[in-house]
Amino acid sequence: MRNKIEIFKVMSDPNRVRILMMLLQKPLCVCEVTAILGLATATVSNHLSYLRREGFVEDEKVGKWVNYRIAKNIENPIIKKLIKFLPEWFANEKQIQEDLEKLKSVDRCNITNL
């Protein structure tokens, strides 16, 4: 039961849902997520660590960047279902739509463009 509760704790934070919705579009680094959410870097890093620890996302170092993405081989069936249905459940939310619009122009080399 504890594992299931932890999964739902992940989903209980709106910022983590926002991050997952962005990562469903493409891999992102902390600075890109920070620019879109308007949160402190440490806060975003904590959210990403929580998502990684529970198996929602994985990271990969590419040059000087650490990219986060939705985990490729999710074994937990609850997490698989949550990831599958996130777009259906949240795509029409105003905040999510605004995030996804900002995502189109985010540039890790020049994130002041937002």
Side-chain angles (χ1 to χ4, degrees), residues 41-79:
T41 302
T43 302
V44 171
S45 292
N46 285 336
H47 284 309
L48 287 165
S49 293
Y50 199 6
L51 290 166
R52 184 181 58 236
R53 183 175 60 247
E54 297 306 321
F56 284 82
V57 302
E58 58 193 16
D59 60 10
E60 176 183 31
K61 185 152 175 66
V62 179
K64 66 179 182 174
W65 307 105
V66 177
N67 292 322
Y68 289 84
R69 65 175 175 247
I70 299 296
K72 289 182 180 178
N73 297 310
I74 298 172
E75 294 181 18
N76 187 307
I78 295 171
I79 295 175

Coordinates of all heavy atoms in Angstrom, one line a residue, residues 41-79:
T41 N 15.4 27.2 -9.0 CA 16.0 26.0 -9.5 C 16.0 24.9 -8.5 O 15.8 23.7 -8.9 CB 17.5 26.4 -9.9 OG1 17.4 27.4 -10.9 CG2 18.2 25.2 -10.5
A42 N 16.3 25.2 -7.2 CA 16.3 24.2 -6.2 C 14.9 23.5 -6.1 O 14.8 22.3 -5.9 CB 16.7 24.7 -4.9
T43 N 13.9 24.3 -6.2 CA 12.5 23.7 -6.1 C 12.2 22.8 -7.3 O 11.7 21.6 -7.1 CB 11.5 24.8 -6.1 OG1 11.7 25.7 -5.0 CG2 10.0 24.3 -6.0
V44 N 12.6 23.2 -8.5 CA 12.4 22.3 -9.7 C 13.3 21.1 -9.5 O 12.8 20.0 -9.8 CB 12.8 23.1 -11.0 CG1 12.8 22.2 -12.2 CG2 11.7 24.2 -11.2
S45 N 14.5 21.2 -9.1 CA 15.4 20.0 -8.9 C 14.7 19.1 -7.9 O 14.8 17.8 -8.1 CB 16.7 20.5 -8.4 OG 17.4 21.2 -9.4
N46 N 14.2 19.6 -6.8 CA 13.5 18.7 -5.9 C 12.3 18.0 -6.5 O 12.1 16.8 -6.2 CB 13.1 19.5 -4.6 CG 14.2 19.9 -3.7 OD1 15.3 19.2 -3.7 ND2 14.0 20.9 -3.0
H47 N 11.5 18.7 -7.3 CA 10.4 18.0 -7.9 C 10.9 16.9 -8.9 O 10.3 15.8 -8.9 CB 9.6 19.0 -8.7 CG 8.7 19.9 -7.9 ND1 7.8 19.4 -6.9 CD2 8.5 21.3 -7.9 CE1 7.2 20.4 -6.4 NE2 7.6 21.6 -6.9
L48 N 11.9 17.2 -9.6 CA 12.4 16.2 -10.6 C 13.0 15.0 -9.9 O 12.9 13.9 -10.3 CB 13.5 16.9 -11.5 CG 12.9 17.8 -12.6 CD1 13.9 18.7 -13.2 CD2 12.1 17.0 -13.6
S49 N 13.7 15.3 -8.7 CA 14.2 14.2 -8.0 C 13.1 13.3 -7.4 O 13.3 12.0 -7.5 CB 15.0 14.7 -6.8 OG 16.2 15.4 -7.2
Y50 N 12.1 13.9 -7.0 CA 10.9 13.1 -6.5 C 10.3 12.3 -7.6 O 10.0 11.1 -7.5 CB 9.9 14.1 -5.9 CG 8.9 13.5 -5.0 CD1 8.9 12.1 -4.5 CD2 7.8 14.3 -4.5 CE1 8.0 11.6 -3.7 CE2 6.9 13.7 -3.6 CZ 7.0 12.4 -3.2 OH 6.0 11.9 -2.4
L51 N 10.1 12.9 -8.8 CA 9.6 12.2 -9.9 C 10.5 11.0 -10.4 O 10.0 10.0 -10.7 CB 9.4 13.1 -11.1 CG 8.2 14.1 -10.9 CD1 8.3 15.3 -12.0 CD2 6.9 13.4 -11.0
R52 N 11.8 11.3 -10.3 CA 12.8 10.2 -10.7 C 12.8 9.1 -9.7 O 12.7 7.9 -10.1 CB 14.2 10.8 -10.8 CG 15.2 9.8 -11.3 CD 16.6 10.4 -11.4 NE 17.1 10.9 -10.1 CZ 17.5 12.2 -10.0 NH1 17.5 13.0 -11.0 NH2 17.8 12.6 -8.8
R53 N 12.8 9.4 -8.4 CA 12.8 8.4 -7.3 C 11.6 7.5 -7.4 O 11.7 6.3 -7.2 CB 12.9 9.1 -6.0 CG 13.0 8.1 -4.8 CD 13.2 8.8 -3.5 NE 12.1 9.7 -3.1 CZ 12.2 11.1 -3.0 NH1 13.3 11.7 -3.3 NH2 11.1 11.8 -2.7
E54 N 10.4 8.0 -7.8 CA 9.2 7.2 -7.8 C 9.0 6.5 -9.2 O 8.1 5.7 -9.4 CB 8.0 8.1 -7.5 CG 8.0 8.6 -6.1 CD 8.2 7.6 -5.0 OE1 7.6 6.5 -5.2 OE2 8.9 7.8 -4.0
G55 N 9.9 6.8 -10.2 CA 9.9 6.0 -11.4 C 9.2 6.7 -12.6 O 9.0 6.1 -13.6
F56 N 8.8 8.0 -12.4 CA 8.1 8.6 -13.5 C 9.0 9.1 -14.6 O 8.7 9.2 -15.7 CB 7.3 9.9 -12.9 CG 6.0 9.5 -12.2 CD1 6.1 9.1 -10.9 CD2 4.8 9.6 -12.8 CE1 4.9 8.8 -10.2 CE2 3.7 9.3 -12.2 CZ 3.7 8.9 -10.8
V57 N 10.2 9.6 -14.2 CA 11.1 10.2 -15.1 C 12.5 9.6 -14.9 O 12.8 9.0 -13.9 CB 11.2 11.7 -15.0 CG1 9.9 12.4 -15.2 CG2 11.9 12.2 -13.7
E58 N 13.4 9.8 -15.9 CA 14.8 9.4 -15.8 C 15.6 10.6 -16.4 O 15.0 11.4 -17.1 CB 15.0 8.1 -16.6 CG 14.6 8.2 -18.1 CD 14.6 6.8 -18.7 OE1 14.6 5.8 -18.0 OE2 14.5 6.8 -20.0
D59 N 16.8 10.6 -16.1 CA 17.7 11.6 -16.6 C 18.9 11.0 -17.3 O 19.2 9.8 -17.2 CB 18.2 12.5 -15.4 CG 19.0 11.8 -14.4 OD1 19.4 10.6 -14.6 OD2 19.3 12.4 -13.3
E60 N 19.4 11.9 -18.2 CA 20.6 11.4 -19.0 C 21.5 12.7 -19.2 O 21.0 13.7 -19.6 CB 20.1 10.9 -20.3 CG 21.2 10.6 -21.3 CD 20.6 10.1 -22.7 OE1 19.6 10.6 -23.1 OE2 21.3 9.3 -23.3
K61 N 22.7 12.5 -19.0 CA 23.7 13.6 -19.2 C 24.1 13.6 -20.7 O 24.5 12.6 -21.2 CB 24.9 13.4 -18.3 CG 25.9 14.5 -18.4 CD 26.7 14.7 -17.1 CE 27.7 15.7 -17.2 NZ 27.2 17.1 -17.3
V62 N 23.9 14.7 -21.3 CA 24.3 14.9 -22.7 C 25.2 16.2 -22.7 O 24.7 17.3 -22.6 CB 23.1 15.1 -23.6 CG1 23.5 15.3 -25.0 CG2 22.1 13.9 -23.5
G63 N 26.5 16.0 -22.8 CA 27.4 17.1 -22.8 C 27.3 17.8 -21.4 O 27.4 17.1 -20.4
K64 N 27.1 19.1 -21.4 CA 27.0 19.8 -20.1 C 25.6 19.8 -19.5 O 25.3 20.3 -18.5 CB 27.5 21.2 -20.2 CG 26.7 22.1 -21.1 CD 27.3 23.5 -21.1 CE 26.4 24.4 -22.0 NZ 26.9 25.8 -21.9
W65 N 24.6 19.2 -20.3 CA 23.2 19.2 -19.9 C 22.8 17.9 -19.2 O 23.3 16.8 -19.7 CB 22.3 19.5 -21.1 CG 22.7 20.7 -21.8 CD1 23.3 20.8 -23.0 CD2 22.5 22.1 -21.4 NE1 23.5 22.1 -23.4 CE2 23.0 22.9 -22.4 CE3 21.9 22.7 -20.3 CZ2 22.9 24.3 -22.4 CZ3 21.9 24.1 -20.3 CH2 22.4 24.8 -21.3
V66 N 21.9 18.0 -18.3 CA 21.2 16.8 -17.8 C 19.8 16.9 -18.2 O 19.1 17.8 -17.8 CB 21.3 16.7 -16.2 CG1 20.5 15.5 -15.8 CG2 22.8 16.6 -15.8
N67 N 19.4 16.0 -19.1 CA 18.1 16.0 -19.7 C 17.2 15.1 -18.9 O 17.6 14.0 -18.6 CB 18.0 15.6 -21.2 CG 18.7 16.6 -22.0 OD1 18.6 17.8 -21.8 ND2 19.4 16.2 -23.0
Y68 N 16.0 15.5 -18.6 CA 15.0 14.7 -17.9 C 13.9 14.4 -19.0 O 13.6 15.2 -19.8 CB 14.3 15.5 -16.8 CG 15.3 15.6 -15.6 CD1 16.2 16.7 -15.6 CD2 15.3 14.7 -14.6 CE1 17.1 16.8 -14.5 CE2 16.2 14.9 -13.5 CZ 17.1 15.9 -13.5 OH 17.9 16.1 -12.5
R69 N 13.4 13.1 -18.9 CA 12.3 12.7 -19.8 C 11.5 11.7 -19.1 O 11.9 11.1 -18.0 CB 12.9 12.1 -21.1 CG 13.7 10.8 -20.8 CD 14.2 10.1 -22.1 NE 15.0 9.0 -21.7 CZ 16.3 8.9 -22.0 NH1 16.9 9.9 -22.6 NH2 17.0 7.9 -21.6
I70 N 10.3 11.4 -19.6 CA 9.5 10.4 -19.1 C 10.2 9.1 -19.2 O 10.9 8.8 -20.2 CB 8.1 10.3 -19.9 CG1 7.3 11.6 -19.8 CG2 7.3 9.1 -19.4 CD1 6.9 12.0 -18.4
A71 N 10.2 8.3 -18.1 CA 11.0 7.0 -18.1 C 10.5 6.1 -19.3 O 9.3 6.0 -19.6 CB 10.8 6.3 -16.8
K72 N 11.5 5.5 -19.9 CA 11.2 4.7 -21.1 C 10.5 3.3 -20.7 O 9.6 2.9 -21.4 CB 12.4 4.4 -21.9 CG 12.9 5.6 -22.6 CD 14.2 5.3 -23.5 CE 14.7 6.5 -24.2 NZ 15.9 6.2 -25.0
N73 N 11.0 2.7 -19.7 CA 10.6 1.4 -19.4 C 9.9 1.4 -18.0 O 10.5 0.9 -17.0 CB 11.7 0.4 -19.4 CG 12.3 0.2 -20.8 OD1 11.6 0.0 -21.7 ND2 13.6 0.4 -20.9
I74 N 8.8 2.0 -17.9 CA 8.0 2.0 -16.6 C 7.4 0.7 -16.3 O 6.7 0.1 -17.1 CB 6.9 3.1 -16.7 CG1 7.5 4.5 -16.9 CG2 6.1 3.1 -15.4 CD1 6.5 5.6 -17.2
E75 N 7.8 0.1 -15.2 CA 7.3 -1.2 -14.8 C 6.1 -1.2 -14.0 O 5.3 -2.1 -14.1 CB 8.4 -2.0 -14.1 CG 9.6 -2.3 -14.9 CD 10.7 -3.1 -14.2 OE1 10.4 -3.7 -13.1 OE2 11.8 -3.1 -14.7
N76 N 5.9 -0.1 -13.2 CA 4.7 0.0 -12.4 C 3.5 0.3 -13.2 O 3.4 1.3 -13.9 CB 5.0 1.1 -11.3 CG 3.9 1.1 -10.3 OD1 2.7 1.2 -10.6 ND2 4.3 1.1 -9.0
P77 N 2.5 -0.6 -13.1 CA 1.3 -0.4 -14.0 C 0.5 0.8 -13.6 O -0.1 1.4 -14.5 CB 0.5 -1.7 -13.7 CG 1.0 -2.3 -12.5 CD 2.4 -1.9 -12.4
I78 N 0.5 1.2 -12.4 CA -0.2 2.5 -12.0 C 0.5 3.7 -12.6 O -0.2 4.5 -13.2 CB -0.2 2.6 -10.4 CG1 -1.0 1.5 -9.8 CG2 -0.8 3.9 -10.0 CD1 -0.9 1.4 -8.3
I79 N 1.8 3.7 -12.6 CA 2.5 4.9 -13.2 C 2.3 4.9 -14.7 O 2.0 5.9 -15.3 CB 4.0 4.8 -12.8 CG1 4.2 5.1 -11.3 CG2 4.8 5.9 -13.6 CD1 5.6 4.9 -10.8

